[in-house]
Amino acid sequence: MKFFVDTADVADIKRLNDTGLVDGVTTNPSLIAKSGRDFIDVIKEICALVDGPVSAEVTATDAAGMIEEGRKLAKVAKNVAVKVPLTEAGLVACKTLSQAGTPVNVTLCFSPAQALLAAKAGAAFISPFVGRLDDIGQDGMSLIGEIAEIYSNYDFQTEILVASVRSPQHVVDAARIGADVCTLPPGVIWQLFKHPLTDKGLEAFLKDWEKTGQSIL
Ligand code: G3P
C-alpha cells in the first residue's frame, strides 16, 4: 500500500520524505488555507520535493471552470494530479482531463455508487473519506471494502486512495482490505512507528549492553 501525506506543510513533508516512506502528497483547499501560503507556490515546492503524485484541487464548481483550472494546475509540474469533487461537473472535468493525459483524483466520495462513476469517468484515484463517515455514525472502512469488491469485478485502472484517515487502525484496516493508497496526516504517520514495548525493549537492551563494557566500533 502506498503512503501519501495529507498536508500542505512543506516542513512536515521534508521530514517525512527523509524516512523514504512517502509515495505522494494530497492537498485540499482547507490544507492550503491552513498553510497560509500561495497555492501555486506550495504545489510547485512540494512537487520538487516528492517524486510521486501531488494532488492539487480545483475550486471552480462548473465543468468548464474546473477544466481550465485543472489545465493550469497540471502545468505547474509533471507530477501534479488534479483533484476534482465528486459532482456531475467534477466527473465531466475528470473525463476531459484524464483523456488529455492528466491524472485526476476524484475527492469527497462517500458511496460505492459514486466510486463506480469516478472509475467510469477515468479517474486515476478515487478518494473515499472514511473518517467523515465514522463521524456521522457510519462505518467508513466498509465503504473501502465495497469499492474494492466492485473494482475487482472490472479492469478499472482507478486506484483506491483512502482519505480522511484519523488513526493507525484506519491504516491497518485499509491495508488488510488491500487499498492501493492511504493518505495520512503527518501525525498519524508518526504514530505508526510507536509501540510502548519497542521503547521498553530497547531501553533494556541498551542497559544490558552497557554492562558488557563493549562497543561495536
Ligand atoms: O484530503 C482530504 C481528506 O483526507 C480530509 O480529511 O480529516 O478533513 O476529514 P479530514
Side-chain angles (χ1 to χ4, degrees):
M1 185 169 71
K2 284 175 268 189
F3 279 5
F4 288 0
V5 192
D6 199 24
T7 186
D9 185 316
V10 173
D12 277 342
I13 294 168
K14 270 189 190 147
R15 186 174 161 214
L16 284 161
N17 214 18
D18 288 346
T19 67
L21 294 170
V22 175
D23 302 301
V25 173
T26 51
T27 66
N28 61 38
S30 306
L31 293 171
I32 296 293
K34 196 172 159 197
S35 78
R37 296 190 50 199
D38 176 79
F39 182 27
I40 303 292
D41 286 352
V42 177
I43 296 298
K44 209 179 275 177
E45 213 172 305
I46 297 172
C47 285
L49 284 172
V50 175
D51 293 330
V54 175
S55 290
E57 189 160 340
V58 299
T59 51
T61 53
D62 63 303
M66 288 184 196
I67 292 165
E68 205 185 342
E69 289 181 358
R71 285 180 181 143
K72 179 176 174 181
L73 293 171
K75 279 190 198 133
V76 171
K78 275 194 294 208
N79 50 336
V80 165
V82 173
K83 212 172 179 189
V84 302
L86 210 155
T87 58
E88 182 186 339
L91 294 190
V92 170
C94 174
K95 183 128 204 175
T96 304
L97 292 165
S98 301
Q99 278 175 344
T102 298
V104 177
N105 176 358
V106 178
T107 190
L108 291 165
C109 171
F110 294 96
S111 80
Q114 289 181 317
L116 179 58
L117 295 181
K120 286 179 68 64
F125 302 102
I126 181 67
S127 292
F129 279 27
V130 294
R132 292 193 194 184
L133 281 169
D134 292 352
D135 289 346
I136 60 159
Q138 294 187 21
D139 177 11
M141 205 47 70
S142 67
L143 172 60
I144 305 304
E146 287 176 272
I147 298 172
E149 183 192 345
I150 292 168
Y151 283 9
S152 73
N153 290 335
Y154 305 96
D155 66 348
F156 293 133
Q157 299 305 302
T158 310
E159 294 188 46
I160 303 174
L161 192 168
V162 181
S164 187
V165 166
R166 305 276 171 77
S167 67
Q169 194 56 48
H170 275 152
V171 184
V172 171
D173 291 342
R176 291 185 71 183
I177 291 169
D180 301 289
V181 192
C182 218
T183 190
L184 312 171
V188 173
I189 302 189
W190 296 122
Q191 277 180 286
L192 292 175
F193 285 87
K194 302 301 284 177
H195 195 287
L197 291 180
T198 304
D199 297 340
K200 202 175 157 202
L202 182 59
E203 201 187 321
F205 284 158
L206 293 178
K207 256 195 197 133
D208 289 339
W209 177 247
E210 213 177 295
K211 284 181 214 154
T212 70
Q214 300 179 52
S215 90
I216 296 174
L217 295 178

